[in-house]
Amino acid sequence: MYTRSLGLGAVLLSVLSSAQNTLDKPPLTDDLVYLHQGLIDNLPINTYTMDQWIEGWIPQDCKSMTEEAGLNTADIQTFNVHFDDCNDDWIVCWHTGSAITLQNFVDTFARLPVNTRGYVRHIISLPDSSAWGYNSEGNIAMMGDVAVDNPAAFIHEAGHSLDHLNGYMPDQELSSSQNWLDNYNQDTNVPNNYAQTNQQENVAENTIVDTFNLVVPGGFGMVQPNWGAIFHQYATIDTKQREGGNLLVPGGTCAHRLENSEAIQLGGSSRIKVRLLREKPNVELSKDVRVIPRKKFHTRDICALTKRQFGAGKH
C-alpha cells in the first residue's frame, strides 16, 4: 500500500503498529519525497499510443475493484495502451471522476521500466477523498491524486508484485525469506516511517530506493549521506532484480507479462449484448512473452485501516 505523505507519518505508524508486525529499526527519514524529482528526471516516459474499448466492456478485475470501492462501473473508461517496447498492450481503467487526468495517469505509469511493468496486470484510477494506492494480484489501484506526477507510487506497488509474484525470488516471497531477514539485520535503519509497517512494505519502499540508486547519476548516496544505514536492504533488492533479468533497469523489450483478466459485458438490453458479443475486446497475450502465474494477494487491508482511522480527506 502507498500513501501520499502529508506529515502524518508518525501518527499513521502508531495506528498501524496495533495491527501489523511493526519493525523495530528506526526510519532513516520520515518519507521518500526527496527521491521523487530524481525519479522523474531519470525515468523517461516510454513512448505509447492508446485506443479506447467500445462502451459496454470492462476487464473483470477492473469491475471488481470498482465495485469494491462502491463506485459505478458505468463511469469506467478502458483503454489499450501500446508501448513501443512490447508487442502486448497494457489495459488501463480510468474513472471519469478521477482526480488525475488520463494522460498524467498513463504518463506516470509509462515511466516504469518495461521489466517492472511486466509484473503489473491492469492499472485503475478511482476517485477518493484520500490519496493512497494498493495492489491486488498484480492490479494496481491509485486512489485520489496519489499518482499525480508520482512514479514512486507505481514503483512501490510494482514492488509488491515483484515480491509476491516471485519476481525477486523464483521459489518464495523475498520479504519472508531468510536472505532478506539476514540482510535486514545487518542494517541500523529502514528507509522511512512507512517501511516500519512490516517486511512487505519495507521491500516495496526499498524498491523505490534501489530504483533511484540504479537510474539517478551518483545513486542514492548523492542525496543521502547515511546511505549505509539501509545499504544491505536495497543492495539485496538490487541483487535480486539483476538475477531476475534487470527488473528495475530501463531499456529492453518485454519478456514476461501477467495474463489479462477477462473482458466482461456491462448491463444492457439483450439486443445490445448480442451486438457487443461480436465486438468483444481481445485480451489474449502473444506467444512472445512468458506468462507469470496468477497468485492471490491483496494489500488493501492496511489502507482500509488508514482510512477508517483518519476519515475523509486524511492520508
Side-chain angles (χ1 to χ4, degrees):
M1 188 274 280
Y2 184 96
T3 60
R4 187 182 285 276
S5 174
L6 289 179
L8 291 171
V11 180
L12 173 60
L13 184 60
S14 68
V15 170
L16 295 175
S17 65
S18 64
Q20 301 290 324
N21 297 321
T22 306
L23 307 184
D24 57 3
K25 296 186 188 294
L28 189 57
T29 58
D30 286 343
D31 55 49
L32 297 182
V33 172
Y34 68 109
L35 304 184
H36 288 191
Q37 192 59 50
L39 291 170
I40 290 172
D41 292 344
N42 292 278
L43 284 173
I45 297 172
N46 291 282
T47 306
Y48 68 87
T49 58
M50 288 193 302
D51 58 74
Q52 187 171 355
W53 280 23
I54 187 171
E55 186 177 353
W57 291 100
I58 188 172
Q60 174 64 69
D61 289 356
C62 288
K63 179 178 184 290
S64 297
M65 296 168 86
T66 302
E67 291 174 344
E68 188 176 32
L71 298 169
N72 190 342
T73 55
D75 295 323
I76 296 293
Q77 295 179 352
T78 304
F79 300 84
N80 291 322
V81 179
H82 323 280
F83 287 99
D84 288 354
D85 54 17
C86 191
N87 290 331
D88 290 282
D89 303 334
W90 271 265
I91 300 174
V92 172
C93 301
W94 180 79
H95 191 286
T96 55
S98 293
I100 185 173
T101 66
L102 174 64
Q103 180 173 347
N104 191 277
F105 186 53
V106 180
D107 279 357
T108 305
F109 176 64
R111 293 184 184 276
L112 268 60
V114 63
N115 286 329
T116 308
R117 263 184 281 129
Y119 277 82
V120 178
R121 191 184 319 280
H122 308 318
I123 61 171
I124 182 169
S125 172
L126 296 171
D128 197 271
S129 57
S130 300
W132 55 289
Y134 71 91
N135 188 321
S136 176
E137 301 182 14
N139 298 298
I140 294 177
M142 293 299 182
M143 314 296 289
D145 65 353
V146 70
V148 175
D149 298 321
N150 188 11
F154 278 112
I155 296 168
H156 173 102
E157 296 304 338
H160 284 307
S161 286
L162 292 167
D163 183 21
H164 290 283
L165 298 174
N166 305 116
Y168 285 143
M169 296 186 73
D171 54 352
Q172 69 177 120
E173 296 174 0
L174 175 62
S175 58
S176 61
S177 70
Q178 192 61 49
N179 178 284
W180 175 257
L181 294 176
D182 288 346
N183 281 281
Y184 165 79
N185 285 331
Q186 293 184 67
D187 289 339
T188 58
N189 294 76
V190 292
N192 60 341
N193 288 345
Y194 193 61
Q196 286 184 303
T197 306
N198 56 37
Q199 291 295 6
Q200 291 79 21
E201 299 301 335
N202 191 23
V203 163
E205 291 294 86
N206 272 287
T207 298
I208 298 174
V209 173
D210 190 50
T211 301
F212 183 98
N213 189 59
L214 285 166
V215 304
V216 176
F220 184 55
M222 289 292 291
V223 297
Q224 179 48 260
N226 295 321
W227 57 271
I230 63 170
F231 170 74
H232 293 90
Q233 292 163 84
Y234 74 81
T236 300
I237 296 289
D238 191 51
T239 297
K240 296 305 179 182
Q241 71 85 24
R242 267 189 287 113
E243 291 174 353
N246 289 321
L247 297 171
L248 303 177
V249 179
T253 56
C254 62
H256 50 258
R257 287 291 305 275
L258 292 173
E259 193 171 28
N260 294 315
S261 65
E262 184 183 359
I264 299 295
Q265 277 185 311
L266 296 176
S269 68
S270 58
R271 182 166 42 185
I272 291 175
K273 288 183 176 181
V274 169
R275 177 180 62 81
L276 286 175
L277 193 58
R278 295 195 299 267
E279 301 170 333
K280 182 176 182 177
N282 180 13
V283 298
E284 296 296 320
L285 296 175
S286 71
K287 295 181 180 180
D288 297 336
V289 293
R290 173 180 65 86
V291 177
I292 302 166
R294 188 163 190 138
K295 180 181 175 182
K296 288 188 176 298
F297 74 94
H298 208 317
T299 70
R300 182 187 171 106
D301 290 348
I302 192 172
C303 302
L305 174 66
T306 304
K307 290 176 68 184
R308 209 164 44 239
Q309 293 292 336
F310 293 115
K314 303 290 183 66
H315 310 353

